[in-house]
């Protein structure tokens, strides 16, 4: 798999038949190793290991309904009361983070109402803080450490 603009992690990778799988260390299950899954696993580990997000507050591939349409979030960290805190939308490294990526995350977040949104393809990371009261979207260089949210 392609090196990413995230720290490397010692993932367990297996070959099963014709497919490669990666052990998701949080859910403790093997997942098909696609380029998008490679990005998701790295971003989740970055948030847990470097930004101190508790793994127990992570929800992966959660269903979201918006205007009779269903979608699946890549990852959502919730706060201790179970309210969404950070929505993470991942794309494969060869997929550009575009307006469409932003609109997809915005659709999910119109239901979730997470104050932080991260868009990443593993090479480019866009971090936004949605200041609801001020009706502003603030661009951040990086997500703050969990203890500051």
């Amino acid at each position: 798999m392609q090196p990413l603009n995230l720290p490397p992690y010692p993932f367990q990778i297996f070959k099963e038949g014709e497919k490669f799988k990666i052990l998701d260390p949080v859910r403790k299950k093997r997942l098909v190793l696609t380029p998008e899954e490679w990005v998701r696993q790295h971003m989740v580990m970055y948030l847990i290991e470097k930004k101190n997000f508790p793994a127990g507050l992570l929800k992966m591939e959660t269903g979201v309904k918006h205007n009779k349409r269903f979608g699946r979030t890549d990852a959502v960290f919730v706060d201790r009361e179970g309210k969404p805190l950070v929505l993470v939308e991942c794309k494969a490294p060869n997929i550009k983070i575009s307006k469409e990526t932003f609109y997809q995350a915005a659709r999910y977040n119109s239901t979730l109402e997470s104050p932080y949104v991260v868009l990443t393809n593993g090479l480019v990371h866009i971090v936004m803080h949605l200041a609801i009261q001020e009706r502003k979207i603030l661009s951040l260089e990086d997500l703050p450490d969990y203890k500051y949210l």
Side-chain angles (χ1 to χ4, degrees), residues 17-34:
E18 295 298 311
K19 295 184 180 182
F20 283 94
K21 294 198 172 182
I22 186 168
L23 179 64
D24 179 328
V26 175
R27 294 183 282 178
K28 308 280 192 257
K29 78 186 216 190
R30 292 180 184 188
L31 305 169
V32 175
L33 181 55
T34 63

Side-chain angles (χ1 to χ4, degrees), residues 50-62:
K50 299 291 184 195
K51 294 297 181 174
N52 301 303
F53 280 76
L57 299 180
L58 172 65
K59 296 182 179 209
M60 299 278 272
E61 298 184 299
T62 304

Side-chain angles (χ1 to χ4, degrees), residues 60-91:
M60 299 278 272
E61 298 184 299
T62 304
V64 177
K65 184 179 176 184
H66 174 70
N67 290 339
K68 299 181 184 178
R69 293 177 69 189
F70 287 93
R72 280 205 172 293
T73 63
D74 285 310
V76 176
F77 279 93
V78 297
D79 64 18
R80 302 237 180 247
E81 285 79 47
K83 292 182 194 171
L85 185 59
V86 178
L87 166 64
V88 179
E89 181 57 38
C90 301
K91 297 295 179 193

Side-chain angles (χ1 to χ4, degrees), residues 2 6 8-9 19 21 41 45 54 57 64 70 72 75 87-88 93 104 106 111 113 127 140:
Q2 175 175 351
L6 290 161
Y9 294 100
K19 295 184 180 182
K21 294 198 172 182
Q41 291 299 322
M45 290 308 297
L57 299 180
V64 177
F70 287 93
R72 280 205 172 293
L87 166 64
V88 179
Q104 179 185 7
T111 301
E113 298 180 349
V127 180
L140 305 176

Side-chain angles (χ1 to χ4, degrees), residues 31-138:
L31 305 169
V32 175
L33 181 55
T34 63
E36 183 175 321
E37 189 62 45
W38 183 243
V39 172
R40 179 179 20 235
Q41 291 299 322
H42 276 80
M43 180 53 74
V44 165
M45 290 308 297
Y46 172 75
L47 293 175
I48 292 170
E49 296 289 323
K50 299 291 184 195
K51 294 297 181 174
N52 301 303
F53 280 76
L57 299 180
L58 172 65
K59 296 182 179 209
M60 299 278 272
E61 298 184 299
T62 304
V64 177
K65 184 179 176 184
H66 174 70
N67 290 339
K68 299 181 184 178
R69 293 177 69 189
F70 287 93
R72 280 205 172 293
T73 63
D74 285 310
V76 176
F77 279 93
V78 297
D79 64 18
R80 302 237 180 247
E81 285 79 47
K83 292 182 194 171
L85 185 59
V86 178
L87 166 64
V88 179
E89 181 57 38
C90 301
K91 297 295 179 193
N94 65 318
I95 304 294
K96 184 178 176 183
I97 301 298
S98 65
K99 282 190 234 178
E100 198 50 47
T101 310
F102 175 81
Y103 294 146
Q104 179 185 7
R107 281 191 303 274
Y108 296 161
N109 207 43
S110 68
T111 301
L112 295 172
E113 298 180 349
S114 172
Y116 293 91
V117 175
V118 177
L119 309 175
T120 184
N121 64 3
L123 304 172
V124 174
H125 317 293
I126 297 172
V127 180
M128 296 170 280
H129 177 237
L130 309 178
I132 306 296
Q133 304 293 349
E134 297 85 20
R135 300 179 63 118
K136 291 182 182 177
I137 299 175
L138 307 172

